[in-house]
Amino acid sequence: MNAEDQKRLLREMIFYRRFEDRTFEAYMERKIGGFLHLYSGQEAVATGVLEMARTGHDYVITGYRDHVHAIKTGAPPREVMAELYGKQTGSSRGRGGSMHIFDPTVHFMGGYALVGQPFPLAAGLALACKHKGSDQIAICFLGDGANNQGTFHETMNMASVWKLPVLFVCENNLYAIGTRIERSTAVTDQYKRVCGYNIPSSQHDGQNIETVMEAAKNAIDHVRGGNGPYFIEFMTYRHRGHSMSDAKGYRNKEEEEQWLKRDPIVLYTEKLRKAGVLSDKDIKAMEKAIDDEIENEIIKFAEESPEPRVEDLTKYVLDDNPDPRWIGPLQK
Ligand SMILES: Cc1ncc(C[n+]2csc(CCOP(=O)(O)OP(=O)(O)O)c2C)c(N)n1
Ligand SMILES: [Mg+2]
């Protein structure tokens, strides 16, 4: 990878971190309501995997921790922020909020609140790709906890039998809300669980973005090459609580400190600094430009956007009244 791409990827990860930090503040100021699950600490996974995908062409789907996945897929950050604010200009026209970012114009097929819901939807998207005879694939992100849902097992079986072009990306952050993985899951290495469905799989470090990219490239090549599904697991950690009302009492300080040392942004910044790609001054300038962009373009847009109108309440909800932006792209 050349230095320009490395710098861009670091900038993207810092942008995602600052975006999430700023949503935290807006939530505390009561500008964002409802549930809010932040992605801080896991940035290298979505950034690295989607860097290797053909965004806008492939279909991407995930759970409720979805802001970064949506933006990296191509949803405009200011529309994602406006959605968090519940505004009419939001990705889902203010109807969805944090857990339901949706932008089919870039084939981001949603965040979903129900754990395990995206598995069968991803299989459906992959089946559609297969029927169309296209080289598109579906990429389904999900947490370690989601793999204990019935939908996981049903989907893995059908995806394998039908050789569907779907990549399952497990973000194993060791916890499902406050339950540590050993307490809920008999086989804690998630990649081993799909051997019963004859799906090839592997496990990798999710904190090193270049490792993620290399692993994702191999997995995507496998799926796009017509070989059926692949299941890839990344070991990672969320820095913040599960959602905003979580004081993290179930985790110990030593564990958190260990993972903070392996923060994906810290690791990549160190690597690029040592390689002479970036100086401390460059990093400071980068952070300043990101903060300005978030404040002056993204937050400003969300704050100044109108609320949805009461008389439009049922608009875009039912099939007979879709958002015109969504009609064409869904057919592509
Ligand atoms: C069907 C369903 N059951 C339970 C819940 C409550 N719930 C919300 S998040 C969550 C844990 C999911 O953990 P994981 O898949 O590891 O994702 P992470 O939050 O770690 O990203 C649970 C049980 C839900 N949203 N949907
Ligand atoms: Mg988890």
Side-chain angles (χ1 to χ4, degrees):
M1 209 180 355
N2 66 39
E4 283 316 303
D5 281 334
Q6 289 180 314
K7 269 192 254 184
R8 175 179 54 81
L9 288 169
L10 178 65
R11 188 193 193 281
E12 284 182 19
M13 289 200 290
I14 297 174
F15 176 87
Y16 300 142
R17 178 71 54 89
R18 298 279 176 142
F19 184 95
E20 295 290 63
D21 288 348
R22 193 59 185 83
T23 68
F24 180 93
E25 285 171 26
Y27 187 92
M28 292 319 229
E29 292 164 5
R30 295 177 179 240
K31 295 200 167 140
I32 295 176
F35 286 99
L36 184 68
H37 306 83
L38 303 181
Y39 194 60
S40 312
Q42 301 184 203
E43 292 88 348
V45 180
T47 312
V49 170
L50 293 172
E51 179 69 18
M52 306 319 287
R54 290 194 213 153
T55 48
H57 182 65
D58 296 332
Y59 290 95
V60 177
I61 191 163
T62 186
Y64 42 82
R65 208 177 291 288
D66 59 347
H67 314 158
V68 171
H69 303 75
I71 297 172
K72 180 66 182 168
T73 303
R78 64 184 202 161
E79 292 185 13
V80 174
M81 189 61 86
E83 188 58 39
L84 303 182
Y85 271 66
K87 297 294 183 77
Q88 177 64 29
T89 52
S91 316
S92 308
R93 299 300 191 219
R95 271 54 165 186
S98 167
M99 301 197 283
H100 305 105
I101 310 291
F102 186 68
D103 189 347
T105 64
V106 293
H107 289 182
F108 182 73
M109 305 311 286
Y112 292 83
L114 290 185
V115 173
Q117 187 179 12
F119 290 124
L121 296 177
L125 291 165
L127 184 61
C129 296
K130 194 167 175 165
H131 276 312
K132 284 192 291 185
S134 86
D135 66 349
Q136 291 161 298
I137 67 169
I139 302 179
C140 177
F141 288 87
L142 265 161
D144 45 288
N147 299 344
N148 291 326
Q149 285 283 17
T151 49
F152 171 84
H153 300 278
E154 294 165 23
T155 305
M156 293 304 141
N157 187 54
M158 287 174 77
S160 182
V161 170
W162 290 347
K163 276 195 157 229
L164 298 181
V166 51
L167 172 65
F168 298 103
V169 181
C170 175
E171 304 198 46
N172 187 347
N173 61 11
L174 306 173
Y175 290 88
I177 312 187
T179 305
R180 205 182 150 85
I181 188 164
E182 292 83 6
R183 293 184 58 217
S184 63
T185 307
V187 176
T188 55
D189 282 331
Q190 300 298 295
Y191 77 102
K192 292 182 182 165
R193 301 178 72 185
V194 295
C195 71
Y197 300 108
N198 203 18
I199 295 178
S201 63
S202 51
Q203 184 189 57
H204 310 270
D205 177 12
Q207 304 304 88
N208 179 333
I209 187 164
E210 293 192 6
T211 306
V212 173
M213 285 165 66
E214 198 187 332
K217 186 188 180 311
N218 291 334
I220 288 172
D221 285 350
H222 172 95
V223 175
R224 210 184 297 286
N227 303 300
Y230 194 96
F231 183 98
I232 195 164
E233 175 182 14
F234 292 106
M235 301 309 296
T236 185
Y237 202 73
R238 62 171 155 71
H239 292 331
R240 292 187 181 275
H242 169 74
S243 66
M244 298 298 285
S245 56
D246 175 0
K248 298 185 291 172
Y250 50 86
R251 298 203 310 206
N252 69 49
K253 279 269 161 304
E254 294 84 73
E255 179 183 284
E256 291 189 353
E257 276 161 19
Q258 280 309 110
W259 280 95
L260 272 174
K261 283 189 204 144
R262 302 212 67 252
D263 176 272
I265 295 173
V266 169
L267 291 185
Y268 208 46
T269 304
E270 269 314 295
K271 178 175 174 157
L272 300 196
R273 197 192 272 131
K274 275 199 191 127
V277 172
L278 278 165
S279 67
D280 287 343
K281 210 173 131 217
D282 296 331
I283 294 163
K284 280 267 157 314
M286 196 186 257
E287 289 170 345
K288 165 91 175 62
I290 289 170
D291 287 344
D292 288 349
E293 182 187 344
I294 291 178
E295 218 45 55
N296 303 333
E297 292 173 33
I298 296 171
I299 290 285
K300 187 167 186 283
F301 177 78
E303 299 214 340
E304 290 177 356
S305 289
E307 302 278 348
R309 298 185 317 167
V310 174
E311 51 271 41
D312 291 339
L313 188 66
T314 59
K315 238 181 167 179
Y316 321 135
V317 177
L318 298 174
D319 199 32
D320 60 351
N321 203 356
D323 184 324
R325 287 179 317 158
W326 295 354
I327 300 169
L330 281 175
Q331 263 98 57
K332 277 199 217 133

Tab-separated table of all heavy atoms in Angstrom, residues 37 42 64-65 113-115 142-147 149 171 173 175-177 238 242, ligand 1:
chain	number	residue	atom	x	y	z
A	37	HIS	N	-25.422	3.151	20.237
A	37	HIS	CA	-24.335	2.186	20.461
A	37	HIS	C	-23.130	2.657	19.664
A	37	HIS	O	-23.218	2.798	18.442
A	37	HIS	CB	-24.736	0.796	19.966
A	37	HIS	CG	-26.023	0.296	20.535
A	37	HIS	ND1	-27.240	0.645	20.020
A	37	HIS	CD2	-26.273	-0.535	21.575
A	37	HIS	CE1	-28.201	0.056	20.720
A	37	HIS	NE2	-27.647	-0.661	21.668
A	42	GLN	N	-13.335	-0.435	17.554
A	42	GLN	CA	-13.469	-1.499	16.545
A	42	GLN	C	-13.249	-0.977	15.117
A	42	GLN	O	-13.481	-1.697	14.135
A	42	GLN	CB	-14.868	-2.138	16.657
A	42	GLN	CG	-15.135	-2.724	18.028
A	42	GLN	CD	-16.472	-3.464	18.175
A	42	GLN	OE1	-16.967	-3.596	19.276
A	42	GLN	NE2	-17.053	-3.953	17.087
A	64	TYR	N	-26.954	-2.959	15.062
A	64	TYR	CA	-27.345	-1.626	15.547
A	64	TYR	C	-26.141	-0.714	15.785
A	64	TYR	O	-26.287	0.481	15.952
A	64	TYR	CB	-28.118	-1.787	16.867
A	64	TYR	CG	-27.437	-2.811	17.727
A	64	TYR	CD1	-26.337	-2.463	18.494
A	64	TYR	CD2	-27.810	-4.154	17.670
A	64	TYR	CE1	-25.641	-3.421	19.204
A	64	TYR	CE2	-27.124	-5.117	18.394
A	64	TYR	CZ	-26.039	-4.737	19.155
A	64	TYR	OH	-25.337	-5.678	19.827
A	65	ARG	N	-24.912	-1.287	15.795
A	65	ARG	CA	-23.701	-0.464	16.017
A	65	ARG	C	-23.223	-0.034	14.633
A	65	ARG	O	-22.160	-0.437	14.166
A	65	ARG	CB	-22.651	-1.340	16.725
A	65	ARG	CG	-21.665	-0.596	17.602
A	65	ARG	CD	-20.716	-1.550	18.322
A	65	ARG	NE	-21.332	-2.358	19.341
A	65	ARG	CZ	-21.759	-1.921	20.529
A	65	ARG	NH1	-21.594	-0.659	20.849
A	65	ARG	NH2	-22.340	-2.743	21.382
A	113	ALA	N	-32.031	-3.456	14.694
A	113	ALA	CA	-32.033	-3.508	16.158
A	113	ALA	C	-32.134	-4.933	16.687
A	113	ALA	O	-31.645	-5.224	17.771
A	113	ALA	CB	-33.189	-2.676	16.698
A	114	LEU	N	-32.790	-5.792	15.916
A	114	LEU	CA	-32.966	-7.156	16.402
A	114	LEU	C	-31.698	-7.959	16.183
A	114	LEU	O	-31.227	-8.098	15.048
A	114	LEU	CB	-34.131	-7.846	15.690
A	114	LEU	CG	-35.521	-7.326	16.043
A	114	LEU	CD1	-36.589	-8.165	15.383
A	114	LEU	CD2	-35.734	-7.301	17.546
A	115	VAL	N	-31.151	-8.492	17.247
A	115	VAL	CA	-29.912	-9.269	17.142
A	115	VAL	C	-30.179	-10.519	16.295
A	115	VAL	O	-31.136	-11.238	16.542
A	115	VAL	CB	-29.420	-9.658	18.548
A	115	VAL	CG1	-28.244	-10.612	18.464
A	115	VAL	CG2	-29.018	-8.413	19.325
A	142	LEU	N	-21.676	-8.892	11.995
A	142	LEU	CA	-22.425	-9.149	13.233
A	142	LEU	C	-21.560	-9.483	14.411
A	142	LEU	O	-20.399	-9.862	14.267
A	142	LEU	CB	-23.501	-10.198	13.016
A	142	LEU	CG	-24.849	-9.481	12.719
A	142	LEU	CD1	-25.822	-10.399	12.061
A	142	LEU	CD2	-25.480	-8.895	13.975
A	143	GLY	N	-22.124	-9.325	15.582
A	143	GLY	CA	-21.377	-9.516	16.826
A	143	GLY	C	-21.304	-10.972	17.251
A	143	GLY	O	-22.034	-11.822	16.737
A	144	ASP	N	-20.424	-11.231	18.202
A	144	ASP	CA	-20.259	-12.585	18.742
A	144	ASP	C	-21.550	-13.078	19.403
A	144	ASP	O	-21.898	-14.252	19.301
A	144	ASP	CB	-19.125	-12.598	19.774
A	144	ASP	CG	-19.217	-11.427	20.736
A	144	ASP	OD1	-18.941	-10.293	20.301
A	144	ASP	OD2	-19.595	-11.635	21.904
A	145	GLY	N	-22.276	-12.168	20.059
A	145	GLY	CA	-23.512	-12.569	20.740
A	145	GLY	C	-24.582	-13.016	19.759
A	145	GLY	O	-25.364	-13.935	20.041
A	146	ALA	N	-24.612	-12.384	18.603
A	146	ALA	CA	-25.639	-12.687	17.603
A	146	ALA	C	-25.557	-14.129	17.115
A	146	ALA	O	-26.548	-14.701	16.663
A	146	ALA	CB	-25.503	-11.720	16.428
A	147	ASN	N	-24.379	-14.713	17.229
A	147	ASN	CA	-24.192	-16.072	16.701
A	147	ASN	C	-24.916	-17.136	17.517
A	147	ASN	O	-24.911	-18.302	17.147
A	147	ASN	CB	-22.705	-16.407	16.622
A	147	ASN	CG	-21.984	-15.451	15.701
A	147	ASN	OD1	-22.613	-14.762	14.922
A	147	ASN	ND2	-20.677	-15.397	15.806
A	149	GLN	N	-28.130	-16.821	18.052
A	149	GLN	CA	-29.521	-16.770	17.597
A	149	GLN	C	-29.789	-17.913	16.625
A	149	GLN	O	-28.902	-18.336	15.876
A	149	GLN	CB	-29.786	-15.446	16.860
A	149	GLN	CG	-29.901	-14.256	17.764
A	149	GLN	CD	-31.259	-14.211	18.478
A	149	GLN	OE1	-31.975	-15.210	18.546
A	149	GLN	NE2	-31.595	-13.081	19.020
A	171	GLU	N	-17.551	-9.623	14.363
A	171	GLU	CA	-16.738	-8.704	15.171
A	171	GLU	C	-16.803	-9.216	16.603
A	171	GLU	O	-17.743	-8.913	17.334
A	171	GLU	CB	-17.282	-7.277	15.065
A	171	GLU	CG	-17.346	-6.807	13.612
A	171	GLU	CD	-17.446	-5.305	13.473
A	171	GLU	OE1	-16.687	-4.591	14.153
A	171	GLU	OE2	-18.269	-4.836	12.682
A	173	ASN	N	-16.029	-8.937	20.011
A	173	ASN	CA	-15.522	-7.988	21.022
A	173	ASN	C	-15.664	-8.560	22.432
A	173	ASN	O	-15.629	-7.825	23.414
A	173	ASN	CB	-16.192	-6.618	20.878
A	173	ASN	CG	-17.698	-6.693	21.079
A	173	ASN	OD1	-18.233	-7.709	21.520
A	173	ASN	ND2	-18.386	-5.619	20.762
A	175	TYR	N	-17.961	-9.515	24.335
A	175	TYR	CA	-19.133	-9.260	25.180
A	175	TYR	C	-20.405	-9.116	24.357
A	175	TYR	O	-20.383	-8.582	23.243
A	175	TYR	CB	-18.949	-7.963	25.992
A	175	TYR	CG	-17.893	-8.099	27.072
A	175	TYR	CD1	-16.560	-7.843	26.790
A	175	TYR	CD2	-18.236	-8.517	28.359
A	175	TYR	CE1	-15.576	-8.000	27.762
A	175	TYR	CE2	-17.263	-8.669	29.338
A	175	TYR	CZ	-15.932	-8.410	29.036
A	175	TYR	OH	-14.982	-8.568	30.002
A	176	ALA	N	-21.497	-9.574	24.932
A	176	ALA	CA	-22.835	-9.265	24.425
A	176	ALA	C	-23.534	-8.524	25.574
A	176	ALA	O	-23.816	-9.121	26.612
A	176	ALA	CB	-23.585	-10.544	24.070
A	177	ILE	N	-23.719	-7.250	25.396
A	177	ILE	CA	-24.082	-6.322	26.485
A	177	ILE	C	-23.105	-6.573	27.641
A	177	ILE	O	-21.911	-6.375	27.457
A	177	ILE	CB	-25.564	-6.441	26.919
A	177	ILE	CG1	-26.499	-6.435	25.674
A	177	ILE	CG2	-25.933	-5.255	27.807
A	177	ILE	CD1	-27.979	-6.368	25.990
A	238	ARG	N	-14.652	-3.129	22.257
A	238	ARG	CA	-15.256	-1.787	22.252
A	238	ARG	C	-14.792	-1.039	23.496
A	238	ARG	O	-14.750	-1.603	24.579
A	238	ARG	CB	-16.785	-1.832	22.169
A	238	ARG	CG	-17.485	-2.500	23.318
A	238	ARG	CD	-18.988	-2.302	23.267
A	238	ARG	NE	-19.695	-3.358	23.957
A	238	ARG	CZ	-19.735	-3.550	25.268
A	238	ARG	NH1	-19.086	-2.718	26.077
A	238	ARG	NH2	-20.407	-4.548	25.789
A	242	HIS	N	-21.815	-0.849	26.275
A	242	HIS	CA	-22.646	-1.419	25.204
A	242	HIS	C	-23.485	-0.332	24.537
A	242	HIS	O	-23.534	-0.216	23.326
A	242	HIS	CB	-23.552	-2.514	25.775
A	242	HIS	CG	-24.594	-2.951	24.810
A	242	HIS	ND1	-24.294	-3.731	23.722
A	242	HIS	CD2	-25.928	-2.675	24.742
A	242	HIS	CE1	-25.419	-3.936	23.029
A	242	HIS	NE2	-26.402	-3.309	23.628
B	1	LIG	C1	-33.684	-10.617	19.140
B	1	LIG	C2	-33.008	-9.798	20.192
B	1	LIG	N1	-32.741	-10.344	21.408
B	1	LIG	C3	-32.129	-9.599	22.350
B	1	LIG	C4	-31.800	-8.289	22.115
B	1	LIG	C5	-31.097	-7.464	23.196
B	1	LIG	N2	-29.712	-7.247	22.806
B	1	LIG	C6	-29.310	-6.094	22.261
B	1	LIG	S1	-27.703	-6.091	21.891
B	1	LIG	C7	-27.472	-7.642	22.502
B	1	LIG	C8	-26.093	-8.276	22.519
B	1	LIG	C9	-25.489	-8.515	21.193
B	1	LIG	O1	-24.119	-8.706	21.332
B	1	LIG	P1	-23.141	-8.860	20.105
B	1	LIG	O2	-23.831	-9.578	19.003
B	1	LIG	O3	-21.873	-9.451	20.596
B	1	LIG	O4	-22.905	-7.367	19.583
B	1	LIG	P2	-22.071	-6.154	20.215
B	1	LIG	O5	-23.061	-5.329	20.990
B	1	LIG	O6	-21.002	-6.725	21.066
B	1	LIG	O7	-21.561	-5.372	19.053
B	1	LIG	C10	-28.664	-8.150	22.985
B	1	LIG	C11	-28.822	-9.460	23.598
B	1	LIG	C12	-32.117	-7.764	20.849
B	1	LIG	N3	-31.810	-6.500	20.503
B	1	LIG	N4	-32.698	-8.540	19.898
